Amino acid sequence: MTTPPYPSYPEDLERPGLVRTGRSTFVRPIRPEDADRLVAFVGTLSRATLAYRSLGPVVRARDDVIRRGAHVDYLNELALVALAGDEIAGLVRYVRDPEEPEHAEVTFTIRDDHQSEGFGRLLLEHIAAAARARGIRVLEADVLADNARMINVFLGSGYRIEAGPPNQIIHFEIAVDPQAQAVARAERREHTAIRRSLRPLLEPRSVAVIGANRDPLTIGHEIVANLLRGGFAGNVFPVNPRAEQIAGVRAYPSLRDLPEPPDLALVAVRAEAVPGVVRECADAGVKAVVVVSTGFGETGVDGRVTELELARFARASGMRLVGPNCMGVVNTTPAARLAATFSPALPTAGRVAMSSQSGPLGLAVLDFARRLRLGFSGFVSVGHAVDVSTNDLLQWWEEDPGTSVILLHVETFGNPRRFARVARRIAPRKPIVAVHPGHADSAVSSLFAQSGVIRTRSLQELFDVALLLAHQPPPPGNRVAVITNAGGPAALTVGACEASGLCVPALGERTRQTLRTALAPRADVANPVDLTPMATAAHYRQALDAVLADDDIDAAVVLFMPPLADKPDEVASAILDAAAARPDKPVVASFLGGAGVADLLHRGDLVVPTYTFPEAAATSLGHAAAYQAWRSTPAGVVPDLTGVDAERARSLIASSAPGQVPAPVAAELLASYGIAVRGGEPGPGPDAFLTVRADPVFGPVIAFGLTGDYADLMADVAHRVTPLSDRDAREMVRSLRAAPLLDGRTGGPGVDLAALEETVLRISAMVEDLPEIEALELRPVRLLPPGDGVTVAHATIRLADNTATAGGSS
C-alpha cells in the first residue's frame, strides 16, 4: 500500500476536546519539544498504572528512552496527547505493523489523577480518526484481564471489536471505520460532556469580574451592577487592585485574594492584558471565562492568532471560553438568575433562548425584545466564538426545560457538519429560528428547511416568528381565517398569506350559517370575515369562536382598526377569551394604529402575538406552518447500500495528494460506492448533473439539476445537505420545476427515477465516509428509461488539503 507523505507536524489533528466529566482539554500530536513534558508525565504514573501499561512487572524506562517517544513520523508512528494545563493528562500512541500496513498496535496511558474522567474514550475517538485517514483499518491492543477501565473503553466505543479468549492478557482488534453505533455513542458522550462543561458558564455558583470599576459608566461596573440587579444568588467578586468596594460589594486586589475559586470569570480589561488575566484564571481554578474585551480578530491577523491561542490555552487548562468581543451571558432560569452582561436592558424571564455572534447587535436585541415583551430564558453573545459556539449552546438548550424556542444570529459555524446534525435532532421538539446574513437564495433556504431550521431574512422577522412560537402553537395546517373590521387591511393580509405559503379558503356552510346568525346583517361571512366598522367586542368573540371551531381552518388572523365606537381593550379581551378556548390553533392579531396593544393581549401565561402590520402576522404564520409540516413529515432513513467498499475508497484517498485526483482514481473511488463511470449515448430525456461542494454553514451540500438552460437560465437546481435519507433523495429529484420531464408527465417514457435516487444516496454516503472530498462533479449523468438505470459519463473529484490548517470542534 502506498501512503502520502505527511508534514513534520499535522496541525489538522489539533482539536479541543471534552471528557465525560465536562472538563475541557486540548488534544494534539506530540512534538519533539514535549520530551521533558513526557518524562514528567511518566514520572507521575503509579506502579499500578505502569503495570497495566507494560502488561507485566513494573520497570520504569530510562529518561533518554522516554524522551525518544516524543519523536514520531506522524504516519507510521503517531502519538496524541491530551493536555491538562501545560501537563500531559493522557497519551495514546499507535505503531504501524510493517508486515500488515493496514494494522497498527495502539497503547493508552492516562495519568492516575485523571483516570475515570473519560480521557481514554476521547483519545480512542481521536486516534481512530487519525489512523483511518492514514490508511490504517485495524488498531490492535493487548490489555490485562483485570484492567476493567480500558476494557470498558473498547467495548463501549461502538466500533467493531474482536476480542481474544479471556486469558490473563486479552487481545483486542478495533475496526476504525465509522460505524453508525460508534458515531451515535460518540455523539452521546460529546453531548453529555458539553452540557457539563457549560454548567459553570450558565449556572455558576460564584462569579468574578476582572476589570470591575467604580465608575458607573464603565463596562466593568455595569457587569457587577447587573449581576446584583438580576438577583444572582451566588457570590460576586469584583477584582480591582485600586478599589475597596464596587457597586456596594467588597472588591479584591487579584484572583489570588478571593475566598474561593469562582466558577465563572468575566474579563473586561485592555486586549494586551487579557492573555495574562486568562492565565491567572487558570491558576485560580476558574472553570469558565467570558472575554468581553475588544481588540482581537477584528483588528487583523495578529489579533486572530492571539484569540486562537487564548482558546487553546483555555481548553488545555480545563476552562471554557466565550468571546472575545462579546457582551456576556444571561440565564433567567430560577436555578441561575445570571445577568453577566453590561447591557443596560435586561430581558424579562421567558421561554426563548438566543445565541448572537455580534456583541453590539446583542445590545439592540435585548432592548428590542424587552419592548416586544418577549421573555428570554437565556442569551449568549458568543462574539468571535473561538471556543464556545452556537453548536455548544444548542446542546445546552436542547435539554433546558425552561427553553421552548431557540433563536440564532449566525454568520459561520465552527463545525458545520455538527450544526446540521444537532439542528436536525433538536428541531422536531423545539423550533430553531435563524437570521443568516447570506443571500436570500433558494439553495440556502432549502438547506435550512431540510435541517428544520426556520430561516428569516431580518432581525424584525426573526422576532416576529419568535413572538408567535413562544406563545402560540404552530398551526396544524396552512388554512387561515381572517377576521377584520376593515376591508383594505384584509385584502393585504390575504395577499401576504398566499405569498407565505398559506391559503385563505372559503368557510364551510355550517360556519357561515353560525356567523350569519351571530353577526350584523351587513357583515360579510366569506373569508375574510368582514365585521364592518361597527363591530363590537362581542362580534369579534363570536366570529373567532366560529372559525376556530371549523375543522377546515388551522389558524386565525384578527385585524382591528380602532373606530370611535368601541374600545381596543374590550376587543383584546374578547380575542384572548376565544384563543384560550381553542389552545390547539394559533391566533395572531394586528391592531392597526393602536398604541400599547401588546399589553392588552397579555393575560398571565396567555399571550396573543400582535403585529403593527398584518403582513408580519401572515409571514410569521407561514413560517410556523412550514415548520409544523416539516415536523409532521416522516424523516425517512439513511439506507444501508450494497456494493460499497469503503475500505478500498479510504485506501485510494490515503494514497492521493490534495487537489484534483486523476480521472482513473476518481472512477475507481466512485466504483467503490457502486457508481460506474463510462461513456454512453444520451438517454431519452435531458442529461443531468450531480455536484458536491463544502458550504461554510452546512458542510457537504449535494446539488442536482438538468444540464443546459434548465440550470443555467432558470436556476432550476435542488440542494440537500448530507447525509441524505431515502425521503430526502426522493424529494430532491422531484423538486425540480422540470421534474415532469423525468417522470413521464410530459408524454415521454420518463427516466429511471429509482436508479437516479440511488445514485444520489451513494454520493451522499461517499462524501460522509470520506470527509477529505472537498468537491465532486458528475457531468453529464445519462438518464435512461425506467429499468435501465443511469450512467456517469465524466467525473471530477478534488481532495482538501486538511494538513494546512488546524480545525475546530464547535
Side-chain angles (χ1 to χ4, degrees), residues 1 36 57 73 96 131 136 197 370 588 594 670 697 726 746 760 769 776:
M1 182 188 69
D36 290 339
D73 63 8
R96 192 189 299 268
I136 293 171
S197 76
R370 192 174 185 89
V588 297
L670 288 162
V697 173
D726 53 357
T746 57
V760 171
D769 291 347
L776 177 151

Side-chain angles (χ1 to χ4, degrees), residues 368-453:
F368 185 59
R370 192 174 185 89
R371 286 189 281 117
L372 284 179
R373 294 194 60 173
L374 181 65
F376 277 81
S377 58
F379 179 89
V380 180
S381 168
V382 295
H384 295 171
V386 294
D387 177 27
V388 173
S389 71
T390 294
N391 293 343
D392 294 323
L393 296 168
L394 280 172
Q395 299 195 66
W396 174 269
W397 290 322
E398 177 181 9
E399 294 185 20
D400 179 19
T403 297
S404 58
V405 181
I406 300 172
L407 308 183
L408 307 177
H409 165 246
V410 295
E411 295 172 4
T412 59
F413 294 94
N415 189 321
R417 287 175 184 254
R418 185 169 300 154
F419 167 72
R421 284 162 175 74
V422 171
R424 278 187 274 188
R425 187 178 72 224
I426 297 173
R429 295 182 292 113
K430 295 184 179 183
I432 301 172
V433 191
V435 59
H436 178 57
H439 297 297
D441 58 86
S442 59
V444 174
S445 295
S446 66
L447 298 178
F448 270 107
Q450 184 195 355
S451 301
V453 178

Side-chain angles (χ1 to χ4, degrees), residues 550-689:
D550 192 326
D551 291 338
D552 294 325
I553 293 297
D554 302 305
V557 179
V558 184
L559 310 179
F560 177 68
M561 179 72 76
L564 297 176
D566 212 339
K567 297 180 179 179
D569 56 340
E570 295 179 3
V571 174
S573 181
I575 294 171
L576 287 169
D577 291 340
R582 289 304 302 259
D584 56 324
K585 294 183 179 182
V587 176
V588 297
S590 178
F591 276 40
L592 292 92
V597 176
D599 294 338
L600 300 179
L601 287 167
H602 282 65
R603 182 189 295 161
D605 292 335
L606 176 61
V607 178
V608 171
T610 181
Y611 302 91
T612 303
F613 297 108
E615 294 92 336
T619 300
S620 301
L621 265 181
H623 282 304
Y627 165 72
Q628 179 63 18
W630 174 87
R631 190 167 68 165
S632 304
T633 302
V637 297
V638 178
D640 292 325
L641 300 168
T642 59
V644 171
D645 188 351
E647 293 305 320
R648 174 59 181 155
R650 291 192 189 98
S651 178
L652 289 166
I653 292 286
S655 61
S656 300
Q660 185 167 320
V661 303
V665 176
E668 196 168 352
L669 279 169
L670 288 162
S672 300
Y673 280 82
I675 300 172
V677 179
R678 57 179 181 267
E681 294 298 321
D687 289 336
F689 65 87

Side-chain angles (χ1 to χ4, degrees), residues 25-392:
T25 185
F26 195 77
V27 179
R28 63 166 173 80
I30 203 165
R31 305 166 180 160
E33 57 266 31
D34 289 324
D36 290 339
R37 191 177 283 112
L38 189 59
V39 170
F41 168 69
V42 175
T44 67
L45 302 179
S46 68
R47 290 178 178 271
T49 295
L50 285 172
Y52 282 133
R53 171 64 181 81
S54 60
L55 305 180
V58 178
V59 178
R60 188 183 185 281
R62 300 193 316 271
D63 286 357
D64 61 324
V65 175
I66 296 172
R67 284 191 174 90
R68 284 203 293 271
H71 297 265
V72 298
D73 63 8
Y74 303 112
L75 179 61
N76 297 311
E77 182 180 6
L78 174 66
L80 302 177
V81 294
L83 300 178
D86 199 39
E87 299 176 346
I88 296 173
L91 169 74
V92 62
R93 183 188 305 271
Y94 79 64
V95 178
R96 192 189 299 268
D97 186 336
E99 296 183 359
E100 291 186 85
E102 292 188 345
H103 287 232
E105 180 186 3
V106 66
T107 57
F108 294 79
T109 311
I110 309 300
R111 207 169 75 186
D112 290 69
D113 56 341
H114 290 294
Q115 292 174 9
S116 299
E117 292 183 4
F119 277 93
R121 190 157 293 173
L122 176 69
L123 287 171
L124 174 58
E125 293 169 9
H126 283 253
I127 200 71
R132 188 166 60 244
R134 286 154 177 76
I136 293 171
R137 187 170 56 86
V138 176
L139 294 174
E140 300 185 25
D142 291 323
V143 182
L144 288 174
D146 63 342
N147 190 353
R149 289 173 177 161
M150 202 68 241
I151 291 172
N152 288 336
V153 166
F154 292 148
L155 296 180
S157 66
Y159 292 106
R160 291 203 313 269
I161 304 289
E162 291 186 9
N167 299 319
Q168 182 179 0
I169 296 176
I170 303 175
H171 182 75
F172 286 92
E173 292 192 356
I174 306 128
V176 299
D177 55 317
Q179 295 291 302
Q181 186 181 35
V183 172
R185 289 185 179 178
E187 288 183 348
R188 285 197 299 272
R189 184 201 65 79
E190 176 192 68
H191 173 71
T192 300
I194 285 174
R195 285 189 54 79
R196 287 175 176 168
S197 76
L198 294 181
R199 193 170 299 280
L201 170 70
L202 297 172
E203 293 181 353
R205 293 166 298 181
S206 55
V207 180
V209 181
I210 300 104
N213 199 294
R214 286 172 293 192
D215 185 351
L217 299 179
T218 60
I219 287 176
H221 182 279
E222 285 306 294
I223 294 173
V224 175
N226 279 339
L227 283 166
L228 301 174
R229 191 181 305 129
F232 180 63
N235 290 323
V236 177
F237 301 123
V239 176
N240 185 324
R242 293 182 295 276
E244 294 184 0
Q245 276 196 349
I246 293 175
V249 178
R250 178 187 172 184
Y252 295 84
S254 70
L255 284 167
R256 294 187 301 273
D257 300 303
L258 299 184
E260 65 183 70
D263 282 345
L264 172 63
L266 285 99
V267 179
V269 300
R270 299 186 314 275
E272 58 268 25
V274 169
V277 170
V278 172
R279 288 189 174 275
E280 291 175 10
C281 289
D283 294 339
V286 173
K287 298 180 178 66
V289 178
V290 176
V291 179
V292 302
S293 309
T294 60
F296 291 92
E298 74 275 14
T299 66
V301 175
D302 290 344
R304 179 61 175 168
V305 170
T306 299
E307 66 186 16
L308 291 177
E309 285 297 328
L310 277 178
R312 290 190 185 97
F313 175 80
R315 294 301 289 267
S317 301
M319 299 186 298
R320 299 306 306 269
L321 186 145
V322 174
N325 192 15
C326 71
M327 56 168 287
V329 299
V330 175
N331 186 353
T332 67
T333 60
R337 298 178 63 84
L338 177 71
T341 176
F342 56 87
S343 171
L346 296 181
T348 56
R351 303 192 60 80
V352 176
M354 182 173 182
S355 167
S356 172
Q357 286 188 259
S358 169
L361 183 64
L363 296 173
V365 161
L366 292 181
D367 179 65
F368 185 59
R370 192 174 185 89
R371 286 189 281 117
L372 284 179
R373 294 194 60 173
L374 181 65
F376 277 81
S377 58
F379 179 89
V380 180
S381 168
V382 295
H384 295 171
V386 294
D387 177 27
V388 173
S389 71
T390 294
N391 293 343
D392 294 323

Side-chain angles (χ1 to χ4, degrees), residues 431-512:
I432 301 172
V433 191
V435 59
H436 178 57
H439 297 297
D441 58 86
S442 59
V444 174
S445 295
S446 66
L447 298 178
F448 270 107
Q450 184 195 355
S451 301
V453 178
I454 301 170
R455 185 199 184 186
T456 61
R457 293 172 173 81
S458 68
L459 284 170
Q460 178 70 61
E461 190 176 330
L462 177 87
F463 283 105
D464 287 343
V465 177
L467 199 61
L468 189 156
L469 293 174
H471 300 301
Q472 294 284 308
N478 69 340
R479 301 163 301 181
V480 177
V482 178
I483 298 173
T484 182
N485 65 347
L492 291 174
T493 305
V494 171
C497 285
E498 293 172 348
S500 301
L502 304 170
C503 66
V504 183
L507 299 175
E509 180 56 36
R510 179 179 299 178
T511 301
R512 292 200 300 271

